[in-house]
Amino acid sequence: MSKKTISFVSTRGRGLNTDLQLVKDNLMTALPEVEFEYYLNKTATKIPLINTKMEDARRTFCTEAQNIICMDPSIPIKIPSASERERRLLLATPFDYQFNIFMKYHDNPDQPKKQTFIRCTHVMPGSPFTAKLFHSFYEWEDSVTFLDGIPLPISWDILQEEKRTTVKKQLEFYFPQAKGKKILSILLVGQKPEPEDGSEPVNLFDNFNLKKIMDYIDDDWFVITNNEDLVELSYQLPYQYSSKFGYIKNKISLNDMMYLSDMLITNSSKHAGNFSITKKPIYYLEYLPKIFGDFIKKFYPSMYLKDLEQLLTLDFSNTELSPEQKNFCQEFSYDPTENPLETIEKLFKY
């Protein structure tokens, strides 16, 4: 008799994101009799013929898979409905596609509902926002089960004290000057446009006075960033500012900074959504065009920073949430009362 198989599927070259990685690690321990397969190929290139072939390959893989765990529009709609024994679980990581759909339907609510996830049997939305979005704007088969009220795996993990202690030791190993300080994380994502032939790479923070900003931030804060443009500006700072500023590339992952941050400034919907469970201040910083930025600017304007200079408007002596930040955290996180990893384990342990 062949072993039961669980397949992890992603599209657009995302590989295993943190939620999928946490689920995989837990299931490998909890279900040692299960085999695991992966379809992680990039399905969006500049060559249409390659895209078509990769989509065909993904459709074939998903048709033959027994059970699937995915995080985005990974399960093709052009495959048969799942059998009674199959599980196709969507972990609804808050990528930009969610805000793209929300803004489109907000402006034109009479559009037909999307069928993107119709072949999923189970959905873990991870937040009230996503649950409402999926119920309002997507079609589902009658047998679909929504695992509401449960945080996503990374959100749950962010609150685990053992992991927080491990990451804190790692941070203080690389940046001993951060010990005992509050952590301000400026974590930015996105691909900058390539410079034209022969030109210098563009610094999107050019002309900002980083020294003025660092002087404004209270001394009991340590600023962490992953952004090369910001680091390029930091080269102009006197040496003593190293006690307040650190660059985490190749040292600590962006996801790990979620465990330690006392305030998050980001342009990433994923990081903002994951971090909201901590009930700590979050701001959106305009860096590269993001539909998430349009969403924040429209619905949470006090959380929107149009540029670095607006850091000078924040009160770093107070880490209490503003009314808008409280609403954001409530909309994008569930109370951590149920362990999502245990829920997923039970789902596939049949």
Side-chain angles (χ1 to χ4, degrees), residues 9-13 39 41-45 47-63 72-79 116:
V9 181
S10 75
T11 64
R12 301 184 181 277
Y39 190 90
N41 292 327
K42 188 176 181 69
T43 57
T45 72
I47 306 174
L49 181 59
I50 292 179
N51 294 339
T52 299
K53 290 183 177 298
M54 296 307 293
E55 288 292 344
D56 289 344
R58 181 165 62 96
R59 183 165 57 250
T60 299
F61 180 90
C62 290
T63 300
D72 59 5
S74 304
I75 301 176
I77 65 174
K78 294 181 180 180
I79 65 173
T116 312

Side-chain angles (χ1 to χ4, degrees), residues 147-163:
L147 304 172
D148 289 326
I150 306 171
L152 289 170
I154 179 59
S155 296
W156 170 271
D157 205 53
I158 285 171
L159 298 182
Q160 305 312 303
E161 194 58 40
E162 183 178 353
K163 181 61 179 289

Side-chain angles (χ1 to χ4, degrees), residues 187-190 265-269 283-285 287-288 290 292:
L187 305 179
L188 305 172
V189 301
I265 298 174
T266 187
N267 67 337
S268 166
S269 59
Y283 293 94
Y284 178 92
L285 176 61
Y287 178 65
L288 289 163
K290 291 279 185 181
F292 180 54

Side-chain angles (χ1 to χ4, degrees), residues 135-196:
H135 281 296
S136 300
F137 306 135
Y138 288 88
E139 288 187 16
W140 305 93
E141 294 185 337
D142 293 338
S143 58
V144 68
T145 299
F146 271 77
L147 304 172
D148 289 326
I150 306 171
L152 289 170
I154 179 59
S155 296
W156 170 271
D157 205 53
I158 285 171
L159 298 182
Q160 305 312 303
E161 194 58 40
E162 183 178 353
K163 181 61 179 289
R164 288 166 58 86
T165 300
T166 299
V167 178
K168 183 178 181 181
K169 288 180 180 178
Q170 185 182 16
L171 176 72
E172 293 178 355
F173 173 79
Y174 288 112
F175 304 104
Q177 63 271 39
K179 189 172 184 178
K181 292 190 174 185
K182 293 177 288 187
I183 304 299
L184 167 62
S185 292
I186 304 177
L187 305 179
L188 305 172
V189 301
Q191 190 68 39
K192 289 199 304 181
E194 292 290 334
E196 296 180 4

